[in-house]
Structures are given as structure tokens and as C-alpha cells.
Amino acid sequence: MSRADDLLSAARAAGAMLATAESCTGGLIAGAITEVPGSSDIFDRGFVTYSNAAKQQMLGIQSRTLETHGAVSEEIAAEMADGALARSEAALAVSVTGIAGPGGSDHKPEGRVCFGLAQRNGPTRTETVEFGAIGRAKVRQATVDHALELLISALER
């Protein structure tokens, strides 16, 4: 049984609909969830907001936040998760923004991903994970795996 299967079971048990807001994964989290038969019971929608313009138009990200913190920041991850929650029927939304590579900088290295988790009945939480320069595909897969774990953990509380 995959973690996406586990997520489906946990969301069903909690009676919760989910949404995703993705940048560096380009929809892979939504894809992992909807790969599971019956996921329409718990998955409302996904936002793929790769560009800053898409983040602003689709999720309501503030230009001031982008200018102050940059797209790869916990502040943007929080606004993405909050925006997905506000623009969906979901009770729980996860967001990701990061640098899958190749590239990065000393300030924001390759493999850095910021996560947001917003819930209707609770505060929005954020965290940053440094996956390291393990390659684009591995960073993206590790991001999907971590996002699924965040959702499962939130549902099991």
C-alpha cells in the first residue's frame, strides 16, 4: 500500500477534502493522490502555480511577500496553502515551493523546498526541508513524499 493509499484512508476517516498548491513539483503531488482509485472522494483540486504571476493570480500571493522574501520562502508557502484553502472546498491544503535544480545559490541552494499546510480549523504551518543537490527528479519525488506525509500527519491528529 502506498502513502497515497494511506492518505486516502486517513482523509476518508476524517471526512476531509484536500487541495494542493504546487510550484517546483508541477502537479506531481496531485498526480500521486489521483493515481489512487477513489481519490475523487477526498481530492478537491490542485493548483499548479509555477510562475510568480500564476501564484498571484490563482492563489492571491501578495507582490510585497514575493519582493521581500522571494518565491522560495516559508512566507510564500504559507500564502500558497492559505490561497488554495480559500479557493477550494478543501478542509486541508498543502503547498510546495522550492529549487529542484539544477542550480540555486548560496542563499537558496538546490534542493531547498518550503512547505505550507493550511487547515480550516487551525493555524497554517510551514517548514523548510533541505533535500540537497540530489538531482531534479529526486528532489521532486522527495517533495511529493514529504507533502503526503504532512497531509497524513495532519489528518491523524
Side-chain angles (χ1 to χ4, degrees):
M1 192 146 131
S2 74
R3 292 310 277 162
D5 286 307
D6 295 340
L7 175 60
L8 180 67
S9 296
R12 276 186 177 146
M17 291 294 284
L18 310 175
T20 60
E22 304 180 60
S23 185
C24 62
T25 49
L28 293 174
I29 299 166
I33 295 169
T34 59
E35 184 72 22
V36 179
S39 56
S40 60
D41 292 349
I42 59 95
F43 188 70
D44 180 52
R45 67 191 75 183
F47 300 88
V48 177
T49 56
Y50 211 71
S51 71
N52 288 344
K55 287 175 183 66
Q56 291 176 293
Q57 293 164 7
M58 295 173 69
L59 297 172
I61 302 308
Q62 300 298 308
S63 58
R64 171 187 267 158
T65 310
L66 279 168
E67 292 163 10
T68 304
H69 301 284
V72 179
S73 64
E74 289 188 18
E75 291 81 4
I76 291 297
E79 286 190 18
M80 288 174 67
D82 289 340
L85 200 63
R87 290 160 176 78
S88 72
E89 303 300 316
L92 182 63
V94 69
S95 67
V96 297
T97 181
I99 302 171
S105 66
D106 290 341
H107 181 62
K108 292 187 180 179
E110 179 179 333
R112 175 175 291 171
V113 180
C114 300
F115 295 82
L117 191 68
Q119 302 177 71
R120 291 250 180 246
N121 299 318
T124 299
R125 296 182 296 132
T126 61
E127 67 182 50
T128 299
V129 177
E130 303 286 351
F131 293 112
I134 58 175
R136 184 175 182 82
K138 288 181 180 176
V139 168
R140 287 163 46 106
Q141 187 57 55
T143 300
V144 170
D145 295 343
H146 191 74
L148 295 177
E149 292 298 333
L150 286 174
L151 289 166
I152 292 167
S153 294
L155 289 165
E156 291 178 344
R157 287 186 179 181

